[in-house]
């Protein structure tokens, strides 16, 4: 069990903070890391960005004993993905796009790259395509992670039968 069960709002905020931390770390060029950390550190940042936030938020939230997967938990994944996409847009426009974990360098803020010409020019279409990919990835991962975390935490295959007086919980 995880320590200090928290409210829905606080769990959502903690997940968003973890995403923001991973997204900011994804701005660091892999060339900075020595030896085997060249691949391990950026992969850890992607793990912190896409996997940890929804699982952390879903595990930390309090719920009643009978509540396994209510509407608030079904909508937690898409809500969290929407907030994280907004933060990703702000970071991408103001600081830069995430660096490819297998190499590459940070080329600067997307907004400046769209306004300037030359080899680092970024077209609005390319930026929109990158953000649509991010949005779809966040929506899919976060929704699946929250649902699976809630089901795993509340007992995946629990049901009561028969409907009569002698009920058996499996």
């Amino acid at each position: 069990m995880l320590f200090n069960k928290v409210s829905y709002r606080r769990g959502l905020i903690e997940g968003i903070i973890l995403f923001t931390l991973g997204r900011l770390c994804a701005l660091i060029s892999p060339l900075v890391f020595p030896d085997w950390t060249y691949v391990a550190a950026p992969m850890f940042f992607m793990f912190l960005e896409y996997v940890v936030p929804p699982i952390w938020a879903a595990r930390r939230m309090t719920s009643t004993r009978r509540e396994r997967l209510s509407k608030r938990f079904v909508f937690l994944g898409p809500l969290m993905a929407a907030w994280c996409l907004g933060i990703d847009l702000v970071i991408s426009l103001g600081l830069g796009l995430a660096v490819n974990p297998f190499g590459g360098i940070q080329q600067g803020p997307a907004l400046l790259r769209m306004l300037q010409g030359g080899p680092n020019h970024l077209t609005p279409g390319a930026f929109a395509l990158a953000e649509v990919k991010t949005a779809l990835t966040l929506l899919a991962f976060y929704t699946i992670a929250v649902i699976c975390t809630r089901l795993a935490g509340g007992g995946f295959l629990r049901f009561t039968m028969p409907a009569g007086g002698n009920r058996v919980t499996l």
Side-chain angles (χ1 to χ4, degrees), residues 103-118:
I105 58 169
Q106 184 54 255
Q107 296 176 346
L111 190 58
L112 290 177
R113 289 179 56 205
M114 282 190 255
L115 297 175
Q116 73 182 9

Side-chain angles (χ1 to χ4, degrees), residues 2 7-8 24 31 33 44 81 84 97-98 108 121-122 133-134 139 141 144 151 160:
L2 210 55
S7 67
Y8 187 85
L24 289 173
L31 300 174
F33 302 106
F44 173 73
C84 292
L97 295 169
H121 177 69
L122 179 66
K133 287 179 187 177
T134 301
L139 183 64
F141 278 172
I144 291 171
L151 288 175
T160 303

Side-chain angles (χ1 to χ4, degrees), residues 9-43:
R9 180 184 299 170
R10 180 158 177 195
L12 181 67
I13 291 170
E14 288 176 358
I16 292 170
I17 289 171
L18 287 171
F19 170 82
T20 305
L21 180 65
R23 179 62 179 85
L24 289 173
C25 289
L27 294 171
I28 302 170
S29 175
L31 300 174
V32 173
F33 302 106
D35 298 334
W36 63 273
T37 58
Y38 178 81
V39 174
M43 294 303 280

Side-chain angles (χ1 to χ4, degrees), residues 159-170:
F159 61 93
T160 303
M161 61 177 260
N166 297 330
R167 294 177 183 232
V168 177
T169 301
L170 302 173

Side-chain angles (χ1 to χ4, degrees), residues 8-170:
Y8 187 85
R9 180 184 299 170
R10 180 158 177 195
L12 181 67
I13 291 170
E14 288 176 358
I16 292 170
I17 289 171
L18 287 171
F19 170 82
T20 305
L21 180 65
R23 179 62 179 85
L24 289 173
C25 289
L27 294 171
I28 302 170
S29 175
L31 300 174
V32 173
F33 302 106
D35 298 334
W36 63 273
T37 58
Y38 178 81
V39 174
M43 294 303 280
F44 173 73
F45 299 149
M46 283 182 61
F47 182 75
L48 187 61
E49 194 175 348
Y50 290 107
V51 179
V52 172
I55 294 173
W56 178 268
R59 290 287 309 240
R60 294 255 303 158
M61 289 182 191
T62 58
S63 61
T64 62
R65 181 164 171 79
R66 295 269 181 204
E67 179 187 37
R68 287 190 192 96
L69 197 59
S70 65
K71 283 184 182 179
R72 71 183 189 140
F73 287 113
V74 170
F75 293 123
L76 174 64
L79 177 64
M80 204 171 183
W83 275 100
C84 292
L85 180 64
I87 290 172
D88 181 61
L89 282 169
V90 169
I91 291 173
S92 294
L93 289 171
L95 298 174
L97 295 169
V99 178
N100 182 355
F102 300 111
I105 58 169
Q106 184 54 255
Q107 296 176 346
L111 190 58
L112 290 177
R113 289 179 56 205
M114 282 190 255
L115 297 175
Q116 73 182 9
N120 289 335
H121 177 69
L122 179 66
T123 63
F127 177 72
L129 182 63
E131 290 304 319
V132 166
K133 287 179 187 177
T134 301
L136 292 175
T137 304
L138 285 172
L139 183 64
F141 278 172
Y142 281 24
T143 303
I144 291 171
V146 167
I147 290 173
C148 289
T149 301
R150 291 306 300 174
L151 288 175
F156 203 121
L157 297 173
R158 289 192 61 180
F159 61 93
T160 303
M161 61 177 260
N166 297 330
R167 294 177 183 232
V168 177
T169 301
L170 302 173

